[in-house]
Amino acid sequence: MNKQKIQDENIIVCDFPLVEHNLSVIRNENSSSEIFRNATKRLAYLLLYTAYSNLPMKEVDIKTPICETKSRIIDPEADIIIAPILRAGLAFADVAADILPDATIRHIGMYRDEKTLQPVWYYNKTPVELDNPQNTYVYVLDPMLATGNSSIETINLFLKKGMKEENLTFVNLIASPQGIKNIRDRFKKIRIVTAHIDETLNEKGYIVPGLGDAGDRLFNTFN
Ligand code: URA
């Protein structure tokens, strides 16, 4: 699949040097879980600053030690939800909350059935209704966008609550062309922020070249 064809203005690939460097660290099979976690954390900061670039701003009056001036802050009326998909999404959650401390964190528990590659729900901490759907901004966190099936399930969950499609951002480390296409075939305006678009998926649904199982590598659970 041609990468040019699957990219549009709402698919943002952060391919600057620090991102590429840390990606090489986490791809390397010789990196320990500790090294993997630290490099993932650095990547999370770089990706999340980019992901949050769509937040609405409001002008305020402030006084510096020198004089009064106008300045801008993130609109306090906006409802901001960080939604990590368990368990690998936890790698991004602390960083996401660290740089946006007033956001609400809504965990999503889903695992991938190894045979069907379809998501299976086991935990959903999203609200039944959004208080302010037109002014809600959601950041779904999942390091690997592989088939896109669990992403689509999560996106649908939030869109059914009435929020705007363009206010939902999916943040990941590595995306597959198939996963991006799967999302784009259904949702034209969802933002995707990623560090890299890889070549393909293998028969088990793993991204190639990828980095293996992100959850196992983060949490050191190889047996
Ligand atoms: N989940 C992972 O952890 N790795 C992949 O390559 C695909 C899905």
Side-chain angles (χ1 to χ4, degrees), residues 60-219:
V60 289
D61 296 312
I62 59 164
K63 196 165 175 303
T64 74
I66 309 298
C67 67
E68 291 185 347
T69 187
K70 301 230 175 271
S71 198
R72 290 187 346 129
I73 59 168
I74 292 169
D75 185 355
E77 302 286 312
D79 284 342
I80 305 171
I81 296 178
I82 295 166
I85 301 184
L86 302 174
R87 68 189 160 139
L90 290 176
F92 286 175
D94 285 350
V95 174
D98 185 32
I99 52 179
L100 255 188
D102 291 333
T104 306
I105 304 188
R106 300 282 186 180
H107 292 91
I108 304 233
M110 241 185 251
Y111 67 86
R112 189 164 67 150
D113 183 288
E114 296 292 330
K115 289 204 178 88
T116 63
L117 301 185
Q118 292 302 315
V120 182
W121 279 98
Y122 62 90
Y123 188 74
N124 176 357
K125 194 66 184 164
T126 60
V128 177
E129 283 178 22
L130 298 175
D131 292 339
N132 189 8
Q134 291 298 301
N135 201 13
T136 294
Y137 291 75
V138 173
Y139 299 88
V140 178
L141 313 179
D142 190 358
M144 306 301 274
L145 170 51
T147 60
N149 294 338
S150 48
S151 329
I152 287 166
E153 189 81 8
T154 309
I155 292 166
N156 268 324
L157 175 82
F158 280 107
L159 294 187
K160 276 191 204 145
K161 298 178 197 294
M163 69 170 292
K164 292 184 186 164
E165 198 178 308
E166 61 269 35
N167 290 352
L168 194 149
T169 305
F170 192 81
V171 188
N172 61 87
L173 289 172
I174 302 180
S176 75
Q178 293 92 330
I180 291 181
K181 182 173 183 310
N182 208 359
I183 292 180
R184 261 298 168 266
D185 284 348
R186 291 164 178 78
F187 313 105
K188 301 291 177 224
K189 297 187 197 154
I190 296 290
R191 297 170 74 235
I192 297 175
V193 174
T194 187
H196 200 263
I197 302 174
D198 270 13
E199 286 161 27
T200 190
L201 292 176
N202 69 14
E203 66 290 348
K204 291 187 175 160
Y206 280 88
I207 298 178
V208 180
L211 48 75
D213 187 297
D216 285 341
R217 298 206 57 196
L218 275 167
F219 300 111

